[in-house]
Amino acid sequence: YSLVQHKAKAQILKERETLLYTDPLTGFFNRNYFSHHADALEKGHFPQALLIADLNNLKRVNDSNGHAAGDALITQFALCMRDEFPDATLFRLGGDEFLAVLDNTTEERIDAAILRLGERCSRIAYAIPGSSARISPSAALGYAIRRSNRLSLDEAMALADTRMYQSKALAKKRRTDDV
C-alpha cells in the first residue's frame, strides 16, 4: 500500500464526505450533516442563537421563471447569509429553509444582525435569468437563544420555527392591509 494510494484514498473519502454533507448550490451544510452532527451543535458555546430563515417567493420564482431563476434566488440569499454571519455554522435544510447556528450570541446581536441581513438582501436586485424582472432575496426569520443545555437543540429549533411562521404571517397580513 503506497503513500500515493493512501493519499488517493484519503482524497476520495474527503470528496465523498463533501458530497454527503454539503448542499451543492450554497456550499452550506445540508440536513444530513445536521442530523449526523447535532450532538456537537448541542454542546455549543452559550448563549447560542439558532436562526431559521424561510426564503420568500421561491415557488413563485420557480413557477414563473424556471428553476435556474429559483437557484439564483437561493444562491443570492446564501451569499447574504454567509456575509452577515461569517462565524456561524450555516445549513440549507431544505428547498427554501436555512439555519444559522451562532455561538456566543446575544439577543441584541442577533436582532441587529437580522436587520443588517435584510438591508444587505434589499441592496441586491439581480436580474432573473430569462426575464427583464429583477428581484431581491428576502426571508421570514425566527430565532431562539439557548442559554444552556436545559433548552435542547430540538426545542430551540421548534421555537425558532414558530417565530419564523409568526413573522411570515405578520408580513402577509401587512401586505394584505396595504392593498
Side-chain angles (χ1 to χ4, degrees), residues 80-144:
C80 289
M81 282 193 71
R82 180 169 279 120
D83 288 347
E84 190 55 48
F85 303 112
D87 298 328
T89 305
L90 298 168
F91 300 86
R92 180 172 173 217
L93 297 176
D96 60 358
E97 187 178 2
F98 295 83
L99 168 68
V101 179
L102 301 106
D103 288 336
N104 300 313
T105 301
T106 62
E107 285 187 49
E108 295 78 19
R109 279 210 207 104
I110 195 77
D111 284 336
I114 287 170
L115 287 175
R116 288 191 308 270
L117 177 64
E119 290 166 2
R120 184 183 301 273
C121 286
S122 70
R123 288 193 300 266
I124 295 172
Y126 76 94
I128 294 177
S131 168
S132 60
R134 299 181 74 73
I135 190 166
S136 296
S138 67
L141 303 165
Y143 72 87

Side-chain angles (χ1 to χ4, degrees), residues 2 10 18 23 29-30 40 42 62 68 72 117 125 135 151 168 173:
S2 73
T18 298
D23 173 60
F29 292 119
N30 60 22
E42 185 87 41
N62 278 338
L117 177 64
I135 190 166
L151 182 64
K168 193 180 249 334
K173 183 179 178 344

Side-chain angles (χ1 to χ4, degrees), residues 57-66 69-70 73 126 128 135:
N57 303 315
L58 180 60
K59 182 175 178 2
R60 185 175 56 82
V61 169
N62 278 338
D63 291 350
S64 304
N65 304 95
L73 183 65
Y126 76 94
I128 294 177
I135 190 166

